[in-house]
Amino acid sequence: MVALTTSLDTLCVNSIRMLAVDAINKSKSGHPGLPMGCAPMGYALWDKHLRHNPKNPKWFNRDRFVLSAGHGCMLLYALLHLTGYDSVTIEDIKEFRQWGAKTPGHPETFETPGVEVTAGPLGAGISNAVGLAIAEAHLGAKFNKPDSTVVDHYTYVIMGDGCNQEGISSEACSLAGHLKLGKLIALYDDNHITIDGRTDVSFTEDVLKRYEAYGWHVQEISEGNTDVEGISQAIEKAKSVTDKPSIIKVTTTIGYGSPNKSDTAGIHGAPLGEEEAELTRKQLGWSYKPFEVPQDAYDQYRQAIQKGAQLEEEWNQSLATYKEKYPNEASQFERMLRGELPEGWDKDLPTYTSDDQGVATRKHSQICLGALGPNIPELIGGSADLTHSNYTDIKGETGSFQYESPEKRYLHFGVREHAMAAILNGIAYHDSGLIPYGGTFLVFADYMRGSMRLSALSELGVIYVLTHDSIGVGEDGPTHQPIETIPSLRAMPNMMVFRPGDGNETSGAYKVAIKNRKRPSSLCLSRQGMANQQNSSVDKVALGGYVLEECDGTPELILIGTGTELDLCVQAAKKLTKEGRKVRVVSMPCVELFEEQSDSYKEEVLPSNIRKRLVVEAAESFGWHKYIGLDGDSVTMNSFGASAPGGLCMEKFGFTVENVLEKSRSLLNK
Amino acid sequence: MVALTTSLDTLCVNSIRMLAVDAINKSKSGHPGLPMGCAPMGYALWDKHLRHNPKNPKWFNRDRFVLSAGHGCMLLYALLHLTGYDSVTIEDIKEFRQWGAKTPGHPETFETPGVEVTAGPLGAGISNAVGLAIAEAHLGAKFNKPDSTVVDHYTYVIMGDGCNQEGISSEACSLAGHLKLGKLIALYDDNHITIDGRTDVSFTEDVLKRYEAYGWHVQEISEGNTDVEGISQAIEKAKSVTDKPSIIKVTTTIGYGSPNKSDTAGIHGAPLGEEEAELTRKQLGWSYKPFEVPQDAYDQYRQAIQKGAQLEEEWNQSLATYKEKYPNEASQFERMLRGELPEGWDKDLPTYTSDDQGVATRKHSQICLGALGPNIPELIGGSADLTHSNYTDIKGETGSFQYESPEKRYLHFGVREHAMAAILNGIAYHDSGLIPYGGTFLVFADYMRGSMRLSALSELGVIYVLTHDSIGVGEDGPTHQPIETIPSLRAMPNMMVFRPGDGNETSGAYKVAIKNRKRPSSLCLSRQGMANQQNSSVDKVALGGYVLEECDGTPELILIGTGTELDLCVQAAKKLTKEGRKVRVVSMPCVELFEEQSDSYKEEVLPSNIRKRLVVEAAESFGWHKYIGLDGDSVTMNSFGASAPGGLCMEKFGFTVENVLEKSRSLLNK
């Protein structure tokens, strides 16, 4: 075993290890193995490379650090504490994993300033990091000038074996290699252990060779438990490689320091216990009490405070110079950092009358992007290789974000839905005003659901453009026809699911989605065309649901429709009205927003004493009983679809005016 | 350009190309690019290697062929037709993508005999193929004898750029390399084109180097448009490598033969049109009419019929010999192939009384697996690296399925949830009686949802063991606490979602799940313990929901509970009964099965005139209004969770007897 480079280094490294041991013992829950093994790389990176300002975790030009192996969060909390972040005091560490603490069981951006991404679901963090690096490269290309730099930072990652096994990281890292993201540097904790035991039960690939295949620069450190200097030099070398992302495989011992539990799965996710903690103290020569950090270690780590203040001050000066020289760019840059939308951002969003040609809502979406793009320079996005189906391009713009053209804002994600969502999250996590959007077929939301959930949980205003939203897809058949996808997204807390019924509602959906920078949106858009409604509204989309067609007097029946089926409701209502029936049509483009309206508004739209209600939506009925109750009915899908022309599918599965009329009459005659 | 090896080969290859062109032109929808480019490899593989019997698509010992790039299904339909499968006549090809046709827009096992896996969602097919190869290796190790072989076939795949970009394939192929699945052979159609244009906009990695890193044998064919002989030789070589899976990169031109559209994204997913079809005929020297296949081509391809009959006959003879020598093994083998469960398979499933110690349902699940394992030798499964959390091991068994021990039935999937689900599907697609199960945390169902959907769509009896089913997870926090996961699974057609409320119900859930070989099950199981109920029932789980606690007379209030919250309902009902209230408790371990009961049974359990209903479940309320309607209430989750001890989370989010009582009283006093 190689000795730690200096005894101060030893002290600093072991401070992390023992804070992790003590916190996890106290909480009786947690993952000590990673922080104990990764303490040297954590220390080397944070003490010798990371440019950050502990007293201002939101300083824009900081390096981003992502702990992709989120279960090892005590590493991150220890580093935040040791380097002087106010968000993690020693008391917070003692409260590890307790109700209301700043130190939850996995790192969460919304709980702890200094945490850059919410991690835990493996592979997500490294994929977010690709998004962070894209954001940096794009903003740098956009704002930096030959004589003036305002965007310039690295994105660092610590990832584990689990991260490298997850497909999401393969997708994201392949794309990162393609894009030659030179300022992305990952440290791979190669500790040979996962929960099921030694990694060799399932994971024997040559990881570095794989990354080489992706186009990454690769390095290895064999004595990761001790070789702080070697790790630091490898990071330095990685920084010098500007046209490739870097991965440094650091071989460590999980739970290093624990005489009986290190190098076993037993230390991955369980406390050491008092006895083993004592033995670990002995082995590491640690004479301090639980939660006690030697002053020398604090003194070393907390140089970060002064360094950070200086870095920020230097940057402020650069920014001041930049403002003088480039006032227009600076004004846009600062507006973005404030999270403000440009004035008049929505002025070109189209409105329609029923005389306007009805087209598919995916087409309306394309028109919206074309209307928003020039007015919102921070809009950035693309598609998972379905640009010409999702219509996610911005009209009038050519070229895409590539190594040679990082100033472009169109992203070709390739056939990589899950990485796309994680990268969009990463761009949002960058917190620099960029508004990320990404497209795929609605049915493939399933491929990226893990990261969509993180958009919702972490309050990221990502816009998902999900086209081909029903059996209307047609010939591609049931593998491509969403049935349960819309309800499955509606079930997700904090996700707004829009299914606009025409052009106005598509404009309205974009308006809400763009405004909501703390909440993701799923826009469910049709492949096929539909009529523009006479009484549809751009602004009422913000209410979630509204009365589209009113009847004369108290309604006997309420038809509730969304998307392409809204027009079936309108047509059926017209016929029923002619027959002397009183029928209201409610358009419900966003159930979540409707739920958030006042009780009186909801009562106004859906009076509780009117129980004859029929919902029409070409998706599973699951969830709609909240509005149709035990007495209503639905024209919905209750099976998978079929391969045939879309119009025929709609007809065969009952999405016809006739069927809506039949079910309506049956309710009316009850 | 290298000429096709012989003119008969040319004829056979172009037969595929032109059937694809004609069918897609007629249907005005489809993907001609792949079949035109891959025709040579399709022909080389099917004519010169594939051991199959067109007149018995279900012959057990056939080689499996997977078209992972499912959009190119006309390649597969052409091959099925040309080699003489009754399932795809020339009329069926003329009906491509039409309502009720045997030739849907993507290949679907349940529509077309001869289709081995349902494909379309990219990356899924190659990952299924890993499961097929695992099934073959396992069954071979289990049944073959030194002097008698009954299981011996290859699994072949054609995959595209899209498949190689999807993370699911990275996961599965890394595992395949680890497992050294020598009989898995993939042909990679390297055509440089995806929907967004040339692959170099997003995909420039060195694919073969990546596969080498996984431990695969790699080869390249540079003239894939013409070099039938080269492809055939590469397949031969791949077959000779028995300790590594093989990938052969075949460089092709998408839409080969079309003078104006080949090598463009335009031919990927759109018909050529009449004019370009004519020009293609000219370029290929094709003098036949639409849908006309030259007799010489038929004659060549349809040698497969006689060869296939002979192969099956030889195998029948081997099996006869095997039966004589090894009657016990043969009896088990044949029973499995018939899809019959062994007699007494469920005899050791435990039952409980309320005196029995309450434990977590994940623990009950482990006991069930231990009770089923010895009696059901075809049960095979594992965990995505959470064995000791999911409790997916089979008591008394050690070791796992590895290259050195393929007879073992425990699968270490690694941290690869999506591949796990696809591999489980592959094992089910093998259709040899194996009953696949796999475990992860419930919240990570999101990672594998794409493949869970395919389990449901393709009628595969996969059993998903999903533990840590609520905020009861505790300290791991909101990234690990499912909220919307249960409703999102309930929304999926054909998926059975179980949330058993104690030991009996866990046994009952397994009983239903094991029996249902055409329907997947999701078992949502708790981390934390719960009481065994006095009146719970193993067998009533099959009814989906049942009256657990009855009151004296007509109920005023119905409490509906599942899982760990069932006991809250029982306790609250007891208190309310003491207060003189009439309260029924309904246990609802499987909503889908309850829905399928007769109206009279449902009315019996939930009488429609009793509207005071309260559901208690530590998940999003989404979907429950089907039972609580507009007048009921719920104790459910309406936000993400929090990191804290599980018991405290339950309390803080309102899962207490007190809160159930309060909401109950509020309903009763309405």
Side-chain angles (χ1 to χ4, degrees):
Chain A
M1 191 188 298
V2 177
L4 281 168
T5 314
T6 72
S7 63
L8 181 61
D9 283 348
T10 312
L11 212 61
C12 289
V13 167
N14 286 342
S15 295
I16 297 174
R17 288 182 172 133
M18 292 314 301
L19 278 177
V21 168
D22 295 338
I24 293 163
N25 261 353
K26 181 160 189 296
S27 73
K28 298 194 174 61
S29 165
H31 300 76
L34 185 141
M36 295 172 80
C38 290
M41 64 181 108
Y43 168 63
L45 176 59
W46 279 58
D47 190 66
K48 303 177 195 318
H49 296 278
L50 196 76
R51 292 163 59 97
H52 62 134
N53 183 2
K55 295 306 174 195
N56 181 10
K58 289 284 170 198
W59 170 44
F60 166 75
N61 204 39
R62 69 193 182 277
D63 290 338
R64 267 51 169 192
F65 171 74
V66 173
L67 181 66
S68 188
H71 54 276
C73 55
M74 265 311 305
L75 173 74
L76 178 51
Y77 298 144
L79 286 164
L80 289 169
H81 170 65
L82 291 166
T83 56
Y85 283 70
D86 298 326
S87 49
V88 183
T89 65
I90 196 76
E91 293 310 313
D92 291 316
I93 286 181
K94 289 180 186 169
E95 285 296 294
F96 183 54
R97 292 186 154 221
Q98 301 310 303
W99 184 264
K102 289 281 168 212
T103 47
H106 289 83
E108 294 158 4
T109 47
F110 48 94
E111 294 289 359
T112 320
V115 170
E116 301 284 2
V117 319
T118 300
L122 293 173
I126 174 72
S127 310
N128 298 151
V130 174
L132 289 166
I134 287 173
E136 195 272 346
H138 175 66
L139 292 171
K142 197 173 158 116
F143 289 109
N144 291 340
K145 303 287 177 183
D147 64 350
S148 198
T149 296
V150 286
V151 184
D152 179 20
H153 69 78
Y154 290 94
T155 300
Y156 294 106
V157 182
I158 290 181
M159 66 194 301
D161 286 305
C163 294
N164 271 320
Q165 290 179 73
E166 291 284 7
I168 183 175
S169 70
S170 299
E171 296 178 5
C173 292
S174 170
L175 184 59
H178 167 78
L179 294 173
K180 303 180 203 273
L181 297 170
K183 288 162 98 173
L184 173 63
I185 297 173
L187 296 153
Y188 159 36
D189 174 33
D190 170 40
N191 68 23
H192 311 298
I193 295 288
T194 56
I195 294 176
D196 270 11
R198 302 203 67 79
T199 49
D200 64 10
V201 299
S202 65
F203 186 55
T204 46
E205 62 168 66
D206 183 340
V207 175
L208 289 191
K209 184 170 178 173
R210 169 155 66 91
Y211 276 82
E212 269 185 344
Y214 293 150
W216 286 50
H217 176 255
V218 307
Q219 298 178 74
E220 278 190 74
I221 298 292
S222 57
E223 286 291 348
N225 299 319
T226 51
D227 190 4
V228 170
E229 185 53 31
I231 296 168
S232 180
Q233 284 169 8
I235 295 170
E236 199 55 50
K237 190 159 174 198
K239 285 154 78 173
S240 74
V241 177
T242 59
D243 61 349
K244 287 179 176 185
S246 275
I247 184 167
I248 305 165
K249 180 169 102 168
V250 185
T251 299
T252 69
T253 305
I254 192 169
Y256 180 86
S258 161
N260 298 305
K261 296 192 172 178
S262 67
D263 202 27
T264 72
I267 204 161
H268 168 86
L272 270 68
E274 291 310 321
E275 196 178 330
E276 187 68 12
E278 272 320 300
L279 294 172
T280 303
R281 284 190 148 70
K282 271 197 195 133
Q283 174 135 331
L284 293 176
W286 192 255
S287 55
Y288 307 93
K289 288 185 303 236
F291 299 105
E292 183 183 351
V293 175
Q295 192 57 45
D296 287 354
Y298 271 135
D299 290 346
Q300 174 65 23
Y301 274 114
R302 295 206 167 161
Q303 293 176 24
I305 297 174
Q306 202 197 321
K307 274 194 242 167
Q310 195 181 328
L311 287 168
E312 182 165 349
E313 179 49 34
E314 284 165 16
W315 181 76
N316 285 338
Q317 285 168 18
S318 301
L319 184 61
T321 312
Y322 185 84
K323 278 165 85 163
E324 268 174 38
K325 289 189 180 165
Y326 308 101
N328 290 341
E329 290 89 333
S331 154
Q332 190 194 133
F333 181 63
E334 292 195 308
R335 178 185 58 70
M336 283 176 61
L337 297 202
R338 286 194 305 272
E340 288 172 14
L341 288 166
E343 216 169 315
W345 63 273
D346 58 351
K347 68 183 166 57
D348 296 328
L349 272 178
T351 56
Y352 301 88
T353 72
S354 53
D355 293 336
D356 291 312
Q357 166 75 35
V359 298
T361 44
R362 63 173 169 151
K363 190 74 197 170
H364 285 301
S365 165
Q366 187 184 38
I367 295 166
C368 287
L369 287 170
L372 294 167
N375 298 329
I376 311 180
E378 58 264 42
L379 195 63
I380 178 171
S383 166
D385 195 50
L386 288 170
T387 297
H388 308 301
S389 297
N390 302 143
Y391 296 151
T392 36
D393 53 309
I394 294 176
K395 199 185 166 184
E397 297 193 12
T398 55
S400 63
F401 179 90
Q402 300 285 351
Y403 179 66
E404 301 77 13
S405 52
E407 74 287 357
K408 296 282 182 183
R409 59 168 154 175
Y410 196 75
L411 296 163
H412 287 294
F413 293 100
V415 190
R416 303 181 180 105
E417 298 83 7
H418 204 175
M420 174 171 74
I423 289 168
L424 297 173
N425 284 346
I427 293 172
Y429 281 131
H430 198 256
D431 201 19
S432 47
L434 291 171
I435 301 179
Y437 72 94
T440 184
F441 289 152
L442 174 59
V443 78
F444 298 134
D446 280 359
Y447 267 52
M448 56 182 182
R449 193 172 162 91
S451 284
M452 294 179 83
R453 183 177 208 263
L454 287 168
S455 309
L457 174 63
S458 290
E459 303 170 1
L460 304 173
V462 173
I463 300 171
Y464 293 98
V465 180
L466 305 167
T467 70
H468 296 64
D469 72 350
S470 74
I471 50 167
V473 163
E475 292 89 345
D476 274 342
T479 55
H480 285 56
Q481 293 167 343
I483 302 299
E484 75 287 16
T485 322
I486 292 174
S488 80
L489 291 172
R490 288 192 182 129
M492 194 180 279
N494 205 38
M495 173 65 75
M496 293 186 292
V497 182
F498 295 92
R499 190 165 187 253
D502 71 355
N504 286 332
E505 290 193 355
T506 308
S507 291
Y510 268 99
K511 206 164 166 178
V512 179
I514 295 278
K515 262 191 214 165
N516 273 272
R517 297 294 81 233
K518 290 282 181 194
R519 201 169 171 187
S521 297
S522 290
L523 309 183
C524 304
L525 304 167
S526 74
R527 178 189 183 211
Q528 73 275 27
M530 68 190 82
N532 282 303
Q533 294 300 326
Q534 192 165 13
N535 297 315
S536 66
S537 158
V538 173
D539 288 327
K540 285 185 183 166
V541 172
L543 301 171
Y546 61 100
V547 178
L548 180 77
E549 296 292 341
E550 190 51 298
C551 56
D552 195 15
T554 306
E556 299 168 87
L557 171 74
I558 301 176
L559 299 177
I560 306 171
T562 80
T564 34
E565 288 71 69
L566 184 60
D567 193 54
L568 295 179
C569 295
V570 172
Q571 288 187 55
K574 271 188 196 154
K575 285 217 172 184
L576 292 165
T577 305
K578 276 191 192 153
E579 294 169 16
R581 295 300 200 163
K582 298 187 189 304
V583 181
R584 170 183 288 185
V585 177
V586 169
S587 177
M588 188 75 86
C590 182
V591 170
E592 297 75 29
L593 290 174
F594 182 69
E595 276 302 302
E596 291 163 21
Q597 303 310 309
S598 67
D599 287 345
S600 65
Y601 178 75
K602 286 190 273 188
E603 179 66 22
E604 196 182 297
V605 176
L606 297 174
S608 46
N609 61 337
I610 302 174
R611 295 285 173 118
K612 295 181 175 180
R613 303 174 178 187
L614 180 72
V615 72
V616 188
E617 181 174 71
E620 240 286 335
S621 64
F622 199 80
W624 275 116
H625 290 79
K626 187 157 199 174
Y627 303 116
I628 60 174
L630 304 183
D631 306 303
D633 201 354
S634 68
V635 177
T636 47
M637 289 294 295
N638 296 304
S639 69
F640 291 110
S643 171
L648 190 60
C649 282
M650 289 304 241
E651 192 187 313
K652 293 278 188 184
F653 285 103
F655 297 93
T656 59
V657 177
E658 291 64 38
N659 194 34
V660 174
L661 283 170
E662 195 184 314
K663 292 227 180 188
S664 297
R665 288 182 187 127
S666 160
L667 276 175
L668 284 165
N669 297 333
K670 247 189 192 169
Chain B
M1 190 188 300
V2 176
L4 280 167
T5 315
T6 73
S7 64
L8 182 58
D9 284 347
T10 313
L11 213 60
C12 289
V13 167
N14 286 341
S15 296
I16 297 174
R17 288 181 172 134
M18 293 313 302
L19 279 177
V21 169
D22 295 338
I24 293 162
N25 261 354
K26 181 160 190 296
S27 73
K28 298 193 174 59
S29 164
H31 300 76
L34 185 141
M36 295 173 80
C38 291
M41 65 181 107
Y43 168 63
L45 175 60
W46 278 59
D47 190 65
K48 303 178 194 319
H49 296 277
L50 196 75
R51 292 163 58 97
H52 63 134
N53 183 2
K55 294 306 174 195
N56 181 10
K58 288 286 170 196
W59 170 44
F60 166 75
N61 204 39
R62 69 193 183 277
D63 289 337
R64 268 47 170 196
F65 172 75
V66 174
L67 181 66
S68 187
H71 54 276
C73 54
M74 264 312 303
L75 173 75
L76 178 52
Y77 299 145
L79 286 164
L80 289 169
H81 170 66
L82 291 166
T83 56
Y85 282 72
D86 298 326
S87 50
V88 184
T89 65
I90 197 76
E91 293 310 312
D92 292 315
I93 286 180
K94 289 180 187 169
E95 285 297 293
F96 182 55
R97 292 187 154 220
Q98 301 310 303
W99 183 264
K102 290 281 168 211
T103 46
H106 289 83
E108 294 159 4
T109 48
F110 48 93
E111 294 290 359
T112 320
V115 170
E116 301 284 1
V117 319
T118 300
L122 292 173
I126 174 72
S127 309
N128 298 151
V130 175
L132 288 166
I134 286 173
E136 195 271 346
H138 175 66
L139 293 171
K142 196 172 158 121
F143 289 110
N144 292 340
K145 304 286 178 183
D147 64 350
S148 198
T149 296
V150 288
V151 185
D152 179 20
H153 70 77
Y154 290 94
T155 300
Y156 295 105
V157 183
I158 290 182
M159 66 195 300
D161 286 306
C163 294
N164 271 321
Q165 289 178 73
E166 291 285 5
I168 183 174
S169 71
S170 299
E171 295 178 6
C173 293
S174 170
L175 184 59
H178 166 78
L179 294 173
K180 303 180 204 277
L181 297 171
K183 289 162 96 172
L184 173 62
I185 297 173
L187 297 153
Y188 159 36
D189 174 32
D190 170 40
N191 68 24
H192 311 298
I193 295 287
T194 57
I195 295 176
D196 270 11
R198 302 203 68 79
T199 49
D200 64 11
V201 299
S202 65
F203 187 56
T204 46
E205 61 167 67
D206 182 340
V207 175
L208 289 191
K209 184 170 179 175
R210 169 156 65 91
Y211 275 82
E212 270 185 342
Y214 293 150
W216 286 50
H217 177 254
V218 307
Q219 298 178 75
E220 278 190 72
I221 298 292
S222 58
E223 286 291 349
N225 299 320
T226 51
D227 190 4
V228 170
E229 185 54 31
I231 295 168
S232 179
Q233 283 169 8
I235 295 171
E236 200 55 50
K237 190 160 175 198
K239 285 154 77 173
S240 73
V241 177
T242 59
D243 62 349
K244 286 179 176 186
S246 275
I247 184 167
I248 305 165
K249 180 168 102 168
V250 185
T251 300
T252 70
T253 305
I254 192 168
Y256 180 86
S258 160
N260 299 305
K261 295 193 172 178
S262 67
D263 202 29
T264 71
I267 205 161
H268 168 87
L272 269 69
E274 291 309 320
E275 196 177 331
E276 187 68 13
E278 273 319 300
L279 294 173
T280 304
R281 283 189 150 71
K282 271 196 195 135
Q283 173 136 331
L284 293 176
W286 193 253
S287 55
Y288 306 93
K289 287 184 303 235
F291 300 103
E292 184 183 351
V293 175
Q295 193 57 45
D296 287 354
Y298 271 135
D299 291 346
Q300 175 65 22
Y301 274 113
R302 295 206 167 162
Q303 292 176 25
I305 298 174
Q306 201 198 324
K307 273 195 242 167
Q310 195 181 331
L311 287 169
E312 182 163 351
E313 179 49 32
E314 284 165 15
W315 181 77
N316 285 336
Q317 284 170 18
S318 301
L319 184 60
T321 313
Y322 185 83
K323 277 164 85 164
E324 268 174 38
K325 289 188 181 166
Y326 308 101
N328 290 339
E329 289 89 334
S331 155
Q332 190 194 133
F333 181 63
E334 292 195 308
R335 177 185 60 69
M336 282 176 60
L337 296 202
R338 287 193 305 272
E340 289 172 14
L341 288 166
E343 215 168 314
W345 63 273
D346 58 351
K347 68 183 165 56
D348 296 328
L349 272 178
T351 57
Y352 301 87
T353 72
S354 54
D355 292 337
D356 291 311
Q357 167 74 37
V359 298
T361 45
R362 63 173 168 150
K363 189 74 196 169
H364 285 301
S365 165
Q366 186 184 39
I367 295 165
C368 287
L369 287 170
L372 293 166
N375 298 329
I376 311 179
E378 59 264 41
L379 195 62
I380 179 172
S383 166
D385 196 50
L386 288 170
T387 297
H388 308 301
S389 297
N390 302 144
Y391 295 151
T392 37
D393 54 311
I394 295 176
K395 198 186 166 184
E397 298 193 9
T398 55
S400 63
F401 179 90
Q402 299 286 350
Y403 179 66
E404 301 77 14
S405 52
E407 74 286 358
K408 296 283 183 184
R409 58 168 154 175
Y410 196 75
L411 296 163
H412 287 293
F413 293 100
V415 190
R416 302 181 180 106
E417 298 83 7
H418 205 176
M420 174 171 74
I423 288 168
L424 297 173
N425 284 346
I427 293 171
Y429 280 132
H430 198 256
D431 202 18
S432 46
L434 291 171
I435 301 179
Y437 72 94
T440 185
F441 289 151
L442 174 58
V443 78
F444 297 135
D446 279 359
Y447 267 54
M448 57 182 182
R449 193 173 162 90
S451 284
M452 295 179 82
R453 183 177 207 262
L454 287 168
S455 309
L457 175 63
S458 289
E459 302 169 1
L460 304 173
V462 173
I463 300 171
Y464 294 98
V465 180
L466 305 167
T467 69
H468 296 62
D469 72 351
S470 73
I471 49 166
V473 163
E475 292 89 345
D476 274 343
T479 55
H480 285 57
Q481 293 167 343
I483 302 299
E484 74 288 17
T485 323
I486 292 175
S488 80
L489 292 172
R490 287 191 183 130
M492 194 180 278
N494 205 38
M495 174 64 77
M496 294 186 292
V497 182
F498 295 92
R499 189 165 188 254
D502 69 356
N504 285 332
E505 291 192 356
T506 308
S507 291
Y510 268 100
K511 207 164 165 177
V512 179
I514 294 279
K515 263 191 214 165
N516 272 273
R517 297 293 82 233
K518 291 282 181 194
R519 201 167 171 188
S521 297
S522 290
L523 309 183
C524 304
L525 305 167
S526 74
R527 178 190 183 210
Q528 72 274 30
M530 68 191 80
N532 281 303
Q533 294 301 325
Q534 193 166 12
N535 297 315
S536 65
S537 159
V538 173
D539 288 327
K540 285 185 183 167
V541 171
L543 300 172
Y546 62 99
V547 178
L548 180 77
E549 297 291 342
E550 189 52 297
C551 55
D552 196 15
T554 306
E556 299 169 86
L557 171 73
I558 301 176
L559 299 178
I560 305 170
T562 80
T564 34
E565 289 69 70
L566 184 59
D567 193 55
L568 295 179
C569 295
V570 172
Q571 288 188 54
K574 271 188 196 155
K575 285 217 173 184
L576 291 166
T577 304
K578 276 191 192 153
E579 295 169 14
R581 294 300 199 163
K582 298 186 189 305
V583 180
R584 170 184 288 185
V585 178
V586 169
S587 177
M588 189 75 86
C590 181
V591 171
E592 298 75 30
L593 291 174
F594 182 69
E595 276 302 301
E596 290 163 22
Q597 303 310 308
S598 67
D599 286 346
S600 65
Y601 178 75
K602 286 190 273 187
E603 179 65 22
E604 197 181 297
V605 176
L606 297 174
S608 46
N609 61 337
I610 302 174
R611 296 285 173 116
K612 294 180 176 181
R613 303 174 179 186
L614 180 72
V615 72
V616 187
E617 181 175 70
E620 239 287 336
S621 63
F622 199 80
W624 276 116
H625 290 80
K626 187 156 198 175
Y627 303 116
I628 60 173
L630 304 183
D631 307 302
D633 201 355
S634 68
V635 177
T636 47
M637 289 293 295
N638 296 304
S639 70
F640 290 108
S643 172
L648 189 61
C649 282
M650 289 304 240
E651 192 188 313
K652 293 277 188 185
F653 284 104
F655 297 94
T656 60
V657 178
E658 291 64 39
N659 194 34
V660 174
L661 282 170
E662 194 184 312
K663 292 227 179 187
S664 297
R665 288 182 188 125
S666 160
L667 277 175
L668 285 165
N669 298 332
K670 246 189 194 168

